[in-house]
Amino acid sequence: VELVSPVRGARISGVDAALKPGTLEWNSVEKPVKSRLVLEKVGKAGSIISASNPDYTVDLPPLEAGTYRWRVSAATEDGLDISSVRDGTFTVLPIPPLEKPAVSSPEENETFSANFFKTNRSIVFRWKKNVEATHYAIRLYDEKKQKIFERELSAETSSRADGDCAFEFGDLERLSRGIFYAEVEPERRLKDGMLFQSGIVSSRRFVIDLPKTASVETD
């Protein structure tokens, strides 16, 4: 048996391994009467594929980063062992992070005062669209870096006609006087929802500057 593809030592893009997994291909001069193909990930117990009498081409599932090893055990009708001489190996490379989104609103250290909230009942977060992102994670933190809000948006629903993406935050009761931080993280998900490519987080610091409430005097 000859292991044809991937060639021994191949290095496969992590994105391709997730979106276009490809195949394992092998052949033999004499067709075996029985055979078994096994694919394993190095350092992980169990097998990813274990197929009896497989075709010469076997579809791969989506694969995560790591080194993989595969072999074909086979025998002829008269019992001659014609298994592959040595295991095939290939490496799936780590998936690179998506590019950091450029946030245009709010500006860094922007201050939202009482005058702003007199005419606005929401804060709009706006950033440049990443063509590879399918979703965006939006997170808000208070001055102590404690998370006070998180939501995942689909790229489709957050996209605007001008090419930007936006999210309108109207849950103002979560805010108060003080310093806050907003994060936008692009994400790329498979059709089944599995996250396979995260992005570099873009962060913004902004300030809510409201006057202190005057103390009430009772009569």
Side-chain angles (χ1 to χ4, degrees):
V1 166
E2 179 187 6
L3 305 182
V4 178
S5 179
V7 297
R8 185 176 174 84
R11 296 168 68 83
I12 299 171
S13 158
V15 173
D16 287 343
L19 295 180
K20 299 177 289 184
T23 58
L24 296 175
E25 298 179 24
W26 62 285
N27 61 34
S28 60
V29 175
E30 183 176 348
K31 186 173 178 62
V33 294
K34 62 177 181 178
S35 59
R36 176 170 291 276
L37 183 149
V38 176
L39 171 67
E40 302 166 328
K41 183 180 180 185
V42 175
K44 187 175 183 179
S47 57
I48 297 169
I49 296 176
S50 181
S52 296
N53 300 320
D55 293 333
Y56 285 132
T57 299
V58 176
D59 291 334
L60 284 168
L63 299 175
E64 59 186 12
T67 300
Y68 293 83
R69 178 174 55 224
W70 66 294
R71 72 187 71 88
V72 175
S73 304
T76 62
E77 189 172 5
D78 55 6
L80 183 65
D81 183 0
I82 58 169
S83 303
S84 51
V85 176
R86 58 177 182 170
D87 293 350
T89 61
F90 62 91
T91 299
V92 174
L93 301 174
I95 296 174
L98 294 173
E99 187 177 344
K100 182 178 180 179
V103 177
S104 57
S105 177
E107 296 180 358
E108 182 68 9
N109 295 320
E110 184 172 348
T111 298
F112 297 97
S113 64
N115 286 334
F116 173 85
F117 291 107
K118 284 178 182 178
T119 55
N120 296 276
R121 287 294 177 264
S122 63
I123 297 176
V124 177
F125 299 93
R126 189 180 294 272
W127 62 94
K128 285 291 183 183
K129 182 179 181 179
N130 185 312
V131 294
E132 295 181 323
T134 61
H135 294 77
Y136 297 94
I138 310 297
R139 307 181 190 95
L140 291 180
Y141 300 86
D142 62 16
E143 191 170 359
K144 296 180 180 179
K145 294 298 180 72
Q146 293 180 329
K147 189 189 300 180
I148 60 173
F149 177 84
E150 182 173 17
R151 180 171 296 177
E152 187 176 272
L153 311 170
S154 72
E156 184 178 355
T157 57
S158 60
S159 295
R160 297 294 181 263
D162 59 4
D164 283 355
C165 293
F167 170 65
E168 187 172 350
F169 178 74
D171 203 3
L172 295 181
E173 62 267 23
R174 295 176 183 263
L175 305 177
S176 60
R177 297 177 68 251
I179 297 170
F180 294 88
Y181 300 89
E183 286 184 354
V184 179
E185 180 182 7
E187 297 177 342
R188 194 174 182 184
R189 293 182 177 273
L190 299 177
K191 290 182 179 179
D192 62 4
M194 184 183 81
L195 175 66
F196 76 94
Q197 191 173 15
S198 298
I200 301 174
V201 174
S202 188
S203 181
R204 275 289 185 271
R205 177 185 184 273
F206 63 95
V207 179
I208 304 292
D209 183 18
L210 297 175
K212 289 185 178 180
T213 305
S215 59
V216 177
E217 293 184 3
T218 59
D219 183 357

